[in-house]
Structure formats: structure tokens, C-alpha cells
Amino acid sequence: MRLLGEDLVAFRDSEGQVGLVDQACPHRGAPMVFARNEEGGIRCIYHGWKFDVPGQCQETPAEPRAVP
């Protein structure tokens, strides 16, 4: 969808809440229109980053864990 001149992808999470994310994944710019709808959010098909309804990244499986 286009809102105020920005291309966005609308989705519903597993609880039915509506989310909006940018049309391009912030990691590598992959098109989020091809993302998979999964439990609690939407997952980019390129590297697997998962975003929740507010747009926060919840998982980054292709990235190493940060060392505290």
C-alpha cells in the first residue's frame, strides 16, 4: 500500500493485529511484499529477520549473537 508517498506492506499477526512495515527490509533492502507471515509477525525471506506489528525487529537468525 502507499501512504503519504511511502510504499508499505500491511499484514496481520497471528492474533489478528494489523501491522505496517516498510516495503524494503532494513537489513538488505529485500522486498517485504514476499515476506512470510509467521507467529507474531512477518519474516523477511532474504535473511530471515522477523518484525512484529509495531515494526520492531524480533529475530535476526542470520546474524551472530552480540557478546555482552
Side-chain angles (χ1 to χ4, degrees):
M1 70 179 302
R2 181 167 274 216
L3 181 65
L4 300 173
E6 291 192 44
D7 291 326
L8 303 168
V9 173
F11 69 97
R12 287 190 185 269
D13 72 0
S14 51
E15 295 182 12
Q17 296 181 64
V18 176
L20 286 173
V21 294
D22 192 85
Q23 60 87 26
C25 180
H27 180 224
R28 295 283 180 159
M32 291 297 283
V33 70
F34 299 117
R36 291 187 312 233
N37 194 299
E38 293 189 0
E39 182 72 29
I42 190 169
R43 186 177 302 275
C44 176
I45 60 166
Y46 188 51
H47 277 117
W49 284 23
K50 184 176 176 182
F51 300 89
D52 61 10
V53 167
Q56 298 297 312
C57 187
Q58 297 299 309
E59 296 176 13
T60 57
E63 300 294 319
R65 286 186 165 234
V67 178

